[in-house]
């Protein structure tokens, strides 16, 4: 998979992809992540990427010209499964969207800033708009990092067996069961006996029961789906 990200603050996207699973996924060739500075596509002499909004009002708006130049340059080189705009009014990101997007070949992600992007960008270039939650961030970069992380970890081969995505929350519309590691007892608090029993059949049943119990208690809405 190839992911291109357009931003005015590339430095915000450096660390999320340079450690742990995201780094390994790139090192092993499962994904290529390319970060592009929208400013490099600005043709005016101050390299401006924003301007005052028509009709007045506080806050700058990201101009269409440099964004259009960046998107046209990239889409002339390859076909993108989606050209995504990170936006608080977009589709709420959830596991089923990550699962589908993890099958993509090429994704292009646009991060907004200030008051957002000129509406014509959304109308003419964007194929999908994603929100990471009902709150407002100061820029799309943290959202893009969340989206990319949630997709890349699902690409086959990225996670090893130990961290298999299939047993994570939201797969099968269930939350994950509780997990424990050594020591078997701390402060008198014991690990459930069954997990030490070595009986993998019974352990599987226990985990399913706990997953269901937890989902009923914390996210009953998942069971209604
Ligand atoms: N005025 C806009 C908010 C702009 S916030 C509004 O009220 O809709 C600046 C940028 O941050 C946005 O362009 C978007 O790219 C990003 N952003 C903010 N909140 C987000 C969220 N919940 N999910 C995804 N991106 C978000």
């Amino acid at each position: 998979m190839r992911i291109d990200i357009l931003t005015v603050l590339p430095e915000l996207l450096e660390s999320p992809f340079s450690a742990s699973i995201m780094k390994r996924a790139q090192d092993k060739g499962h994904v290529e992540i390319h970060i592009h500075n929208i400013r490099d596509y600005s043709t005016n002499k101050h390299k401006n990427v924003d301007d005052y909004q028509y009709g007045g009002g506080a806050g700058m708006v990201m101009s269409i010209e440099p964004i259009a130049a960046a998107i046209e340059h990239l889409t002339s080189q390859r076909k993108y499964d989606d050209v995504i705009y990170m936006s608080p009014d977009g589709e709420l990101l959830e596991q089923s969207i990550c699962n589908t997007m993890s099958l993509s070949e090429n994704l292009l992600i646009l991060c907004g800033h200030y008051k957002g992007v000129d509406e014509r960008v959304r109308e003419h270039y964007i194929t999908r708009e994603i929100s990471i939650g009902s709150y407002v961030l100061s820029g799309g970069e943290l959202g893009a990092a969340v989206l990319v992380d949630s997709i890349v970890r699902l690409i086959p081969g990225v996670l090893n067996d130990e961290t298999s995505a299939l047993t994570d929350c939201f797969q099968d519309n269930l939350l994950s069961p509780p997990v424990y590691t050594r020591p078997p007892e701390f402060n008198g608090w014991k690990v459930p006996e069954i997990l030490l029993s070595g009986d993998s059949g019974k352990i599987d049943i226990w985990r399913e029961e706990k997953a269901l119990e937890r989902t009923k208690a914390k996210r009953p809405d998942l069971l209604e789906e």
Side-chain angles (χ1 to χ4, degrees):
M1 184 187 297
R2 175 182 168 121
I3 301 176
D4 292 275
I5 307 179
L6 300 176
T7 170
V8 287
L9 288 168
E11 60 271 34
L12 280 182
L13 286 165
E14 276 163 23
S15 78
F17 306 132
S18 61
S20 184
I21 292 169
M22 290 306 114
K23 178 173 192 303
R24 231 177 29 236
Q26 294 170 86
D27 291 347
K28 287 192 346 202
H30 293 298
V31 66
E32 270 180 45
I33 301 174
H34 298 268
I35 297 167
H36 310 269
N37 194 336
I38 296 169
R39 223 170 275 283
D40 295 340
Y41 291 87
S42 173
T43 50
N44 74 43
K45 79 168 181 283
H46 300 293
K47 294 278 172 202
N48 285 343
V49 288
D50 59 341
D51 210 334
Y52 295 101
Q53 59 174 309
Y54 276 122
M60 305 296 278
V61 174
M62 287 174 68
S63 313
I64 190 168
E65 296 103 320
I67 297 174
I71 293 178
E72 279 173 22
H73 171 69
L74 289 167
T75 52
S76 73
Q77 294 180 343
R78 67 194 64 76
K79 191 174 160 21
Y80 287 89
D81 297 75
D82 270 309
V83 180
I84 300 163
Y85 176 49
M86 300 309 302
S87 183
D89 62 11
E91 257 175 287
L92 263 187
L93 183 62
E94 53 162 80
Q95 193 62 44
S96 61
I97 297 177
C98 309
N99 291 348
T100 314
M101 282 195 182
S102 73
L103 305 173
S104 308
E105 221 164 288
N106 300 304
L107 290 174
L108 178 48
I109 304 175
L110 169 64
C111 304
H113 244 274
Y114 321 113
K115 287 302 279 180
V117 298
D118 187 304
E119 189 65 20
R120 290 167 291 182
V121 170
R122 301 174 66 168
E123 284 168 5
H124 299 287
Y125 291 107
I126 299 299
T127 62
R128 195 152 187 187
E129 301 183 326
I130 298 287
S131 164
I132 65 157
S134 304
Y135 42 81
V136 176
L137 302 164
S138 42
E141 290 75 13
L142 298 182
V146 168
L147 177 63
V148 170
D149 185 304
S150 68
I151 293 172
V152 168
R153 66 194 293 286
L154 298 173
I155 300 173
V158 168
L159 295 184
N160 48 32
D161 266 358
E162 263 168 69
T163 44
S164 166
L166 294 174
T167 56
D168 282 334
C169 278
F170 308 117
Q171 301 293 3
D172 300 328
N173 277 340
L174 283 179
L175 300 181
S176 286
V179 292
Y180 300 84
T181 185
R182 286 187 287 184
E185 184 170 341
F186 176 80
N187 268 353
W189 306 323
K190 289 188 175 153
V191 170
E193 204 80 32
I194 182 98
L195 295 177
L196 311 177
S197 70
D199 185 334
S200 60
K202 281 197 181 142
I203 292 174
D204 284 347
I205 294 171
W206 180 87
R207 285 184 172 149
E208 272 170 39
E209 282 168 6
K210 288 290 164 188
L212 194 58
E213 215 172 87
R214 183 164 275 195
T215 311
K216 275 184 189 155
K218 297 189 173 194
R219 291 291 306 274
D221 57 297
L222 292 176
L223 297 170
E224 282 154 24
E225 279 170 22

